[in-house]
């Protein structure tokens, strides 16, 4: 039988979010939430493991974590967190040092960096797609949407388009917006459940997504038209 290696360990009451691969091959990053009992406030932590030397760095967070994301250049990790007050905190992905943070007026439940690191796309209160200045937190763009149960966002490789894939009771919707103006450029809806990750391929102008069924969907992202 193949040997199994434990690379990250959580206790029974600790709930980890998605594991991110760090900028080094030996690194793993996750935001976790631990609650002793139903009446307890809970304890939130950004955990950063270095498997090469066994380091397990734990950085306390204020309030429950909602999302965690690594910048495209691997230099910083952002966590949206809070209870009552909502924050986006940016940490050095190697040292764990807090670089800067800002308060947001809503709960941000999904995060995605632009490729140049200057903007941060997010899902606000499950009813708005927003784009923030990643240094100041200034809201640069707000795109209202029907309330959704889950959503994923991504910038195109040139950062000029915002790709969204969301789901609600009516099915799944894939949309493309101008990342500067918020103008909708493309929309496609299907009744299948569950959005997944999206990838924009600039060479072929194709948009690729895959749902929980595991079946990939390839769409033409070049022509600006509505696909229904």
């Amino acid at each position: 039988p193949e040997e199994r290696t434990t690379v990250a360990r959580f206790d029974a009451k600790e709930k980890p979010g998605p594991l991110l691969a760090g900028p080094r091959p030996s690194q793993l990053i996750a935001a976790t939430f631990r609650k002793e009992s139903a009446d307890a406030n809970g304890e939130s932590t950004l955990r950063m493991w270095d498997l090469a030397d066994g380091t397990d760095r734990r950085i306390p967070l204020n309030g429950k974590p909602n999302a965690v994301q690594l910048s495209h250049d691997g230099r910083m990790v952002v966590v949206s967190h809070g209870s009552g007050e909502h924050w986006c905190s940016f940490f050095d992905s190697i040292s764990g040092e807090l670089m800067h943070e800002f308060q947001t007026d809503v709960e941000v439940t999904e995060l995605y960096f632009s490729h140049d690191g200057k903007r941060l796309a997010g899902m606000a209160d499950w009813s708005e797609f927003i784009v923030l200045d990643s240094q100041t937190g200034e809201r640069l763009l707000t795109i209202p949407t029907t309330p959704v149960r889950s959503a994923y966002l991504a910038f195109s490789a040139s950062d000029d388009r915002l790709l969204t894939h969301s789901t609600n009771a009516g099915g799944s919707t894939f949309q493309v917006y101008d990342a500067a103006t918020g103008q909708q450029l493309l929309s496609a809806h299907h009744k299948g459940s569950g959005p997944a990750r999206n990838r924009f391929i600039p060479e072929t102008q194709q948009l690729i997504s895959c749902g929980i069924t595991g079946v990939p969907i390839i769409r033409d992202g070049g022509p600006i038209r509505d696909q229904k």
Side-chain angles (χ1 to χ4, degrees):
E2 295 182 0
E3 292 185 2
R4 185 179 70 175
T5 302
T6 300
V7 296
R9 189 180 298 277
F10 307 94
D11 65 43
K13 296 180 180 179
E14 188 176 21
K15 295 181 179 180
L19 279 170
L20 301 179
R24 295 175 178 171
S26 60
Q27 281 187 295
L28 287 174
I29 299 170
T32 68
F33 183 68
R34 189 177 191 277
K35 203 169 185 179
E36 290 291 344
S37 67
D39 298 329
N41 291 327
E43 178 183 284
S44 299
T45 307
L46 177 64
R47 295 185 64 178
M48 305 174 70
W49 295 270
D50 192 320
L51 311 182
D53 59 15
T55 302
D56 179 2
R57 183 176 289 107
R58 303 181 184 220
I59 304 168
L61 298 172
N62 179 28
K64 190 174 182 180
N66 298 311
V68 58
Q69 188 60 256
L70 190 71
S71 62
H72 289 276
D73 62 8
R75 296 174 58 189
M76 60 183 171
V77 58
V78 59
V79 185
S80 64
H81 58 99
S83 299
E85 294 184 349
H86 307 292
W87 295 85
C88 284
S89 301
F90 298 74
F91 300 89
D92 183 286
S93 59
I94 300 297
S95 68
E97 180 183 355
L98 178 65
M99 300 173 69
H100 67 280
E101 61 183 356
F102 52 74
Q103 193 169 358
T104 60
D105 57 350
V106 292
E107 181 181 62
V108 181
T109 49
E110 294 292 336
L111 291 171
Y112 196 87
F113 274 103
S114 60
H115 290 78
D116 62 10
K118 295 179 179 180
R119 289 174 292 171
L120 193 65
M123 184 81 224
D125 284 344
W126 298 112
S127 60
E128 293 177 331
F129 299 119
I130 61 174
V131 177
L132 306 174
D133 184 296
S134 62
Q135 285 292 323
T136 66
E138 177 187 356
R139 190 182 291 211
L140 305 175
L141 189 65
T142 300
I143 304 173
T145 183
T146 55
V148 301
R149 294 186 303 198
S150 61
Y152 294 100
L153 303 94
F155 283 94
S156 63
S158 56
D159 284 338
D160 61 345
R161 297 184 183 184
L162 180 65
L163 320 178
T164 70
H165 198 174
S166 58
T167 187
N168 54 29
S172 183
T173 302
F174 183 89
Q175 294 171 309
V176 180
Y177 298 93
D178 184 299
T181 67
Q183 178 188 357
Q184 186 181 103
L185 305 177
L186 185 149
S187 178
H189 181 82
H190 61 89
K191 295 182 179 180
S193 62
R197 298 297 179 184
N198 306 297
R199 180 71 180 270
F200 181 77
I201 303 177
E203 292 80 7
T204 60
Q205 293 292 294
Q206 289 177 319
L207 303 165
I208 300 178
S209 60
C210 185
I212 59 175
T213 59
V215 179
I217 300 171
I218 301 177
R219 303 186 189 278
D220 181 4
I224 306 304
R225 64 176 182 267
D226 193 24
Q227 300 181 11
K228 295 184 178 180

